[in-house]
Amino acid sequence: MDKKELAKIIDHTNLNACAKEEDIKKLCDEALKYGFASCCVNPYYVPFAAQQLEGSNVKVCTVIGFPLGSNSADDKAGQAASCVAEGAQEVDMVINLGLVMDGKWDEVYEEIFAVRCAVNDVDTGDDRKIILKVILETCYLNDEQIIESCRCAKKAGADFVKTSTGFGKGGADVHSVELMRKTVGDELGVKASGGIRTYEDAVAMVNAGASRIGCSSGVQIVS
């Protein structure tokens, strides 16, 4: 895969708890230079990233309920709406893994739907659609749980399903990406994230069905 084309599907990411403003500026500058799809930052830095990327094709992405996913549905919906109002164009939410483990699929669907409705209701001043990605944290899930989580995301109107936060015990793997792609078909995107550090890693995920790559090693991958 051509590296310039690969750059277009990379979410250039810095979710380090100790990230400083200069680190986020560097992230944005690199995204502009290499033509990455988005900059993914913690909610606090959404306004700053939006300012840095204003007028460009690079989107502002943020994370909700991150990294544990154990916030209430109302908390997730409220934070997502606030981030969109501050300039986020893509929202990556972590589902409640406790609900998944208990097999409470109606509640998994309801919290994803709550975030979908919350970001849809924000007046952004234009017609752009807010992209919603649902993080499953596949390292903790069996195949059945991955499949059911994908079905909930699809039913709730998400745009992507995503493998991992990068903060769990494991990251993206080919098997999970293939299973997610098979489950959602062509209607949703699949984002592989967590532990992707080389060009070969990224291409393997794309070949498995990923349409977006989340990583902090984007510059190394496409250089």
Side-chain angles (χ1 to χ4, degrees):
M1 186 177 189
D2 179 82
K3 290 185 177 181
K4 287 186 178 180
E5 291 302 311
L6 182 58
K8 294 177 183 178
I9 64 168
I10 289 177
D11 289 345
H12 194 35
T13 303
N14 187 337
L15 298 172
N16 192 315
C18 297
K20 298 180 291 185
E21 189 172 280
E22 65 186 69
D23 299 319
I24 302 305
K25 185 176 190 313
K26 181 173 181 284
L27 188 82
C28 294
D29 289 343
E30 290 171 343
L32 292 168
K33 178 179 178 180
Y34 291 97
F36 294 131
S38 80
C39 280
C40 188
V41 299
N42 281 310
Y44 174 79
Y45 282 119
V46 165
F48 179 75
Q51 182 184 52
Q52 298 300 305
L53 300 171
E54 187 176 4
S56 77
N57 291 324
V58 181
K59 304 293 191 295
V60 178
C61 176
T62 196
V63 288
I64 301 298
F66 193 88
L68 301 179
S70 53
N71 312 58
S72 72
D74 286 345
D75 284 346
K76 290 177 183 178
Q79 187 180 42
S82 294
C83 286
V84 170
E86 291 176 334
Q89 296 150 294
E90 302 195 354
V91 169
D92 293 16
M93 67 168 287
V94 187
I95 57 174
N96 188 320
L97 291 169
L99 296 178
V100 173
M101 298 304 173
D102 281 336
K104 295 182 177 180
W105 300 114
D106 286 345
E107 292 182 51
V108 174
Y109 158 78
E110 286 166 5
E111 75 158 12
I112 300 170
F113 187 65
V115 174
R116 173 80 276 175
C117 292
V119 299
N120 284 355
D121 287 344
V122 178
D123 183 4
T124 59
D126 54 39
D127 295 328
R128 63 185 166 92
K129 180 185 179 183
I130 303 303
I131 299 298
L132 175 61
K133 310 188 199 92
V134 177
I135 307 174
L136 310 186
E137 202 71 291
T138 54
C139 62
Y140 297 121
L141 309 183
N142 60 37
D143 284 4
E144 181 182 353
Q145 291 167 332
I146 291 172
I147 290 168
E148 289 301 323
S149 297
C150 286
R151 287 174 175 166
C152 289
K154 188 174 182 179
K155 180 181 176 184
D159 300 290
F160 281 77
V161 285
K162 176 179 171 181
T163 59
S164 320
T165 62
F167 286 74
K169 66 177 183 178
D173 65 89
V174 166
H175 171 71
S176 296
V177 171
E178 288 177 338
L179 184 59
M180 293 161 71
R181 173 54 69 199
K182 181 179 179 181
T183 303
V184 302
D186 294 329
E187 296 177 51
L188 271 67
V190 174
K191 179 175 174 179
S193 182
I196 302 170
R197 298 183 178 89
T198 68
Y199 171 78
E200 290 75 19
D201 290 341
V203 170
M205 295 303 162
V206 171
N207 289 340
S211 49
R212 192 75 71 90
I213 301 293
C215 62
S216 58
S217 302
V219 173
Q220 296 94 303
I221 287 171
V222 303
S223 293

